[in-house]
Structures are given as structure tokens and as C-alpha cells.
DNA sequence: CTAAATCGGACGATACTCGTCCGCTTGAGG
DNA sequence: CCTCAAGCGGACGAGTATCGTCCGATTTAG
């Protein structure tokens, strides 16, 4: 075994570049980026992309899986947060950031829903369990309103970012934080926190 | 003048059908529906679509303008609501419904931002003024938190629906109402209202 | 220095969409 | 009932975008 002991250094570097470029491309233009655009952004030819990953889908899968892994790590961190409500809030914000970096991720999940790759299914299950756990911990403190489920939490984490994507630059680069704040206040049983960031300058609907 | 006194009855009916089909198509699949799909949904040939409207863009413009007009009417109604806070809440819900029926509307607004059609620009301005007015009235009652602007209100009205579109059927056909409720609670200065509808059954992120 | 691994991007194939064209059908007035 | 202009359907051409392949040129590593 170990028939491929060490890929050439430039090949490895190009693979890294491709993944990084794909991340940024997905973040700014969604999951339907063309292979050519990704390769260009990585400063490589499209041939290299297909040689490294075989298919465009494989590249996207690798990137999405990486993001899921990071989210799993993040969840694990906030699970041990001293203040359960704070932990939930910060994780929701991190989850929103994750959505920012994998715009259209839900579309992929839905598309692969028929036959999700085992790895993706495993990560999805782990993340859901983590969110459910964080939700229960926060509810136990009495700071989270009783009538929301962990699914609601997930949806809230998306809402702000989806809006951000639709409104584009109008809401400012950090405009989603205002919506997250409003949502978290709506989730909180008592009291409110101050809105952060400058108000959005929306011009459309 | 009046060189076209009365189009044939079937032509008028087909025009109506096309507009209706376009509405539903936009609602379920966004603004980038193909002309063929619209014509098929209307039970007509694509030739008829182009004869009636000249271009696909003209058809979309007609539909979008119609939706804007309805929203303007709705705004006028809630402006005279006895309870300013209730009026704002219900209008936000109606606005969300409007977004449901014109998915991707913001994209069009943004695209036409360079040179918006005079009619659309007029409607947009009227709607913005209406939202600003409703916001101020609600703020005056002290029920609306002080740190949100009318732009925040618009964004909130989008957030729930955008999420709905991304999550698809997972959140149920009325799942957006839960998010709207959370958002409105987050906008409200004191207290909370009960979440309506069954909890979402999300399976993805 | 050499050979194998790697790269770049032109290229064929495929798919999708817009808008046109023309032979056939249908509505409505005489 | 008849006539004919108005209307209809959908095949079709043209344009565009994307995927994935192929092969000559280049580079790496021993």
C-alpha cells in the first residue's frame, strides 16, 4: 500500500489554493460558481481543478465538508461555555458566519437529501445533536423562551444571513448582526440587548 | 386614437392567465423562470407570451409592478390602524407575504437600481415612506424598541421568507410565521407573544 | 540531467434560454 | 352560415454558459 507516498509539492499547494478559492467563491457568489471561475480565482487552469478533484462536485463536497467540520468543532467549544444562554447566542452567531461562508449550503443539503454522502450525513447529525443540546441547556436556565425548538434556532441562524445575501451591500458588510440581535432578543425570555453596528441603508425591498 | 378598441376575448383571457402563471412561477422558483416554463404553466405556447408582452422582461415588470401596487394599498390600510404597534406588525406580515409572492424581488430592484423604471421607482419611494411612517407611529407608542430604523423593519420582513425559501418544505408552508413572531418579539420593547404554528421539522442547515 | 508528474487553456459536447416565424385555428361581425 | 383578420402553438435559429477532456509545454525531484 501507500502507493502514493508524496504528491509533488506544487500539486499539494494547488490543491490548497483550489479549496481556498472555492470557499471564497461560494461565499460571495453561491454554490453555482463555474469551475472556470474557481480555477481563475485560484490562479490556475481549469484542467488542474479536474485533475485534482476529478469533478466539480467532488471539490464542492470537500469544501462543504470542511466547513461542517469547523462548525462541529465550534459547537463543541460552546457546549462547555459557562453561561448556557451566552453559549447558545455565540454559537448561533458562529453558525450564521458559517452560512455566510457557505451560501446556499442548505440547497446542497436538500439536493443531497435523497442520498447524502455518509460523511455529510454524519456531520449533519452531529451538528443537529449539538444544537439540540445547546438549546436544552439554554432553556434550562430559563433565559430561552420555552416555545422554540432547536430547529427554530437553526432557522434563526440562517435568517439574518439570507437577508444579507439578498440585500447585498445595502445592509453593510455586518448588517446581519443587527438582525441576529433582534432575533436573539426575540428568543430571550426577558429583556433586550442593544443593537450593534450602524443602521442599514436599504434602498429596496 | 383608440386604434385598438377591443382585443379579442381569448387574447385578454390569455394575458390574464400569463400574469397569473408568472406570479405563481416567481413565487415558487424565483425571478429566473424561463419564458417556456411560464407559458407551459399558463397552458399556452411561448409564442403567445411574446405576442402579448413583447419581451419576457416586460411581463415580469408588469407582474412586479402589480405586486408593488398591492403592497402600497396594503400599507395605506394599516396606516390608519387604531393600534399603531398592531398596524406595524400586521403590515410586516403582509410585506412578508408580498415577498413570498415575488421571490427575488430585491434582486430585480437591485438590478434596476442603475436605471429603475419610473413606475417602479415611484412605488418604491411610496412604500418606503409608508414603512417609515408606520415605524414612527409604532415608536411613538413606546412599544417599538428605539434603536431600530424603518430599514430594519424592511429587512425583518424579508428575513423570515428568505429562510423559508432556502429551507423549502422542511419548515412547513407557514413556517415563516414562527420566525416573524420571533422577530416581532425582538422588535417589541416589553413582553412576548406565543409562537404560532407547529414547530419546523428542519433536517439540514 | 532526465523522466515522470504536472500544468494551462483551447476545444468538443451538452444543455438551456430567448425571441421569431409561419402554417393552422378560432372568434366575431355581417 | 360565412369570411377573414386576429390569434395561437411550437418547431426552430442564434446565442450563451458550463462541464470535462486532451495534449503540447513546463516544472519538479532525485
Amino acid at each position: 500500500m501507500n502507493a502514493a507516498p508524496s504528491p509533488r509539492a506544487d500539486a499539494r499547494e494547488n490543491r490548497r489554493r483550489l479549496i481556498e478559492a472555492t470557499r471564497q467563491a461560494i461565499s460571495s457568489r453561491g454554490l453555482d460558481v463555474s469551475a472556470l471561475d474557481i480555477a481563475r480565482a485560484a490562479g490556475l487552469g481549469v484542467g488542474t481543478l479536474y485533475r485534482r478533484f476529478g469533478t466539480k462536485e467532488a471539490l464542492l463536497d470537500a469544501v462543504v465538508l470542511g466547513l461542517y467540520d469547523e462548525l462541529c468543532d465550534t459547537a463543541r467549544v460552546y457546549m462547555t461555555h459557562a453561561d448556557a444562554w451566552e453559549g447558545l447566542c455565540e454559537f448561533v452567531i458562529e453558525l450564521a458566519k458559517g452560512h455566510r461562508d457557505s451560501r446556499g449550503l442548505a440547497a446542497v443539503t436538500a439536493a443531497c437529501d435523497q442520498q447524502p454522502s455518509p460523511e455529510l450525513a454524519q456531520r449533519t447529525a452531529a451538528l443537529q445533536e449539538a444544537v439540540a443540546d445547546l438549546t436544552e441547556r439554554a432553556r434550562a436556565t430559563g433565559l430561552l423562551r420555552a416555545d422554540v425548538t432547536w430547529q427554530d434556532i437553526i432557522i434563526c441562524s440562517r435568517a439574518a444571513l439570507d437577508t444579507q445575501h439578498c440585500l447585498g451591500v445595502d445592509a453593510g458588510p455586518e448588517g446581519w448582526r443587527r438582525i441576529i440581535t433582534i432575533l436573539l432578543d426575540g428568543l430571550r425570555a426577558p429583556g433586550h440587548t442593544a443593537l450593534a453596528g450602524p443602521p442599514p441603508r436599504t434602498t429596496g425591498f
Side-chain angles (χ1 to χ4, degrees), chain A residues 158-180:
Chain A
R158 296 207 50 123
L161 257 297
D162 289 338
T163 309
Q164 177 79 20
H165 284 134
C166 287
L167 291 176
V169 79
D170 282 344
E174 298 289 310
W176 59 276
R177 289 183 183 277
R178 288 179 70 89
I179 305 301
I180 280 276

Side-chain angles (χ1 to χ4, degrees), chain A residues 124-184:
Chain A
T124 300
L127 259 182
Q128 286 177 350
E129 199 172 342
V131 175
D133 197 52
L134 283 163
T135 303
E136 282 317 310
R137 284 167 179 268
R139 200 200 312 282
T141 69
L143 282 174
L144 176 65
R145 59 193 290 174
D147 56 354
V148 297
T149 68
W150 60 268
Q151 286 98 334
D152 287 316
I153 303 294
I154 291 179
I155 297 183
C156 284
S157 78
R158 296 207 50 123
L161 257 297
D162 289 338
T163 309
Q164 177 79 20
H165 284 134
C166 287
L167 291 176
V169 79
D170 282 344
E174 298 289 310
W176 59 276
R177 289 183 183 277
R178 288 179 70 89
I179 305 301
I180 280 276
T181 302
I182 294 174
L183 279 164
L184 290 176

